[in-house]
Amino acid sequence: MEILYEDNHIIVVNKPQGVGSQPDKTGDKDLLTMVKEYIKEKYNKPGEAYVGLIHRLDRPTGGAIVFAKTSKAAARLSEQLRDGDFDKKYLTIVCGKPREQKGKIVSWLKKDERNNVVKIVPQTTNGAKRAELDYEVLEYNEETDHSLVRVKLYSGRGHQIRVQMKSINCPVFGDQKYGGEKMPKLMLNLFASELSFSHPVTKQKLIFRVYPPETVSAWNEFNLEKHLALASNVND
């Protein structure tokens, strides 16, 4: 667990891929529990440490995620999230190349709890939730037929990027659940590379950028440093 930032109010962590954001029915060690144990040990706190879960990343997705260390910080960050003041950007490698270099995808999604899959459904479907994202193709590798894509989320639905990129025939590389049986059994090439929000107490704008793991070979097809540097110059 890599800590990107910590003060008395918040802690920002680079979530490892394959680790759940919170406890689930598998009983596997999750990030929320890890953060609680870290705070309890570091500050020698009696009892269970308070850690507020503000947003989640799917288990196969790594990257930047923020937790609150006080209930006041949790309430203020949650309000930002509801008001759309949280900025979440992802890098992903998809199969093929989208028709348009830049685009918006709006869908209505519903989760099949029994099979743990998310499907695109008509808007009028009971329980359907609106999902919106923008994407931009940063680079295309003709040799492998892979595209490096930056995604900005406007909603945080489970499996959202994976389902919506599949809907334009560009599934996330390594995604057997939505990419099909012929997809290689690799780590999912989806990473929360940028997170920005206002500090819940100081109101200072905070921006965190992290790189996908170099151990996942597909990321090495592209010059990630160049693209993250360009994002830094634009945003800052």
Side-chain angles (χ1 to χ4, degrees), residues 43-59:
Y43 300 101
N44 196 27
K45 285 183 173 289
E48 185 176 351
Y50 174 85
V51 178
L53 182 71
I54 309 303
H55 62 122
R56 289 174 286 274
L57 294 175
D58 291 339
R59 180 188 284 260

Side-chain angles (χ1 to χ4, degrees), residues 176-196:
Q176 289 194 313
K177 185 183 288 285
Y178 298 104
E181 294 180 358
K182 294 183 179 180
M183 189 72 73
K185 293 183 179 180
L186 300 172
M187 188 76 79
L188 190 72
N189 286 262
L190 176 61
F191 197 78
S193 59
E194 183 175 321
L195 177 66
S196 62

Side-chain angles (χ1 to χ4, degrees), residues 71-131:
S71 57
K72 180 182 290 186
R76 290 178 178 177
L77 288 173
S78 296
E79 183 179 6
Q80 284 189 55
L81 189 63
R82 287 193 301 271
D83 293 345
D85 295 332
F86 247 63
D87 197 3
K88 297 178 286 184
K89 294 190 176 108
Y90 294 72
L91 286 178
T92 184
I93 297 173
V94 301
C95 300
K97 185 179 182 180
R99 290 184 180 181
E100 305 293 334
Q101 182 180 357
K102 294 183 179 182
K104 180 184 293 290
I105 306 176
V106 178
S107 314
W108 292 84
L109 306 181
K110 183 174 182 179
K111 186 172 184 178
D112 178 347
E113 298 287 352
R114 176 178 294 180
N115 297 307
N116 191 30
V117 293
V118 175
K119 298 178 181 179
I120 294 178
V121 297
Q123 179 179 346
T124 53
T125 302
N126 185 37
K129 295 182 178 179
R130 189 178 189 276

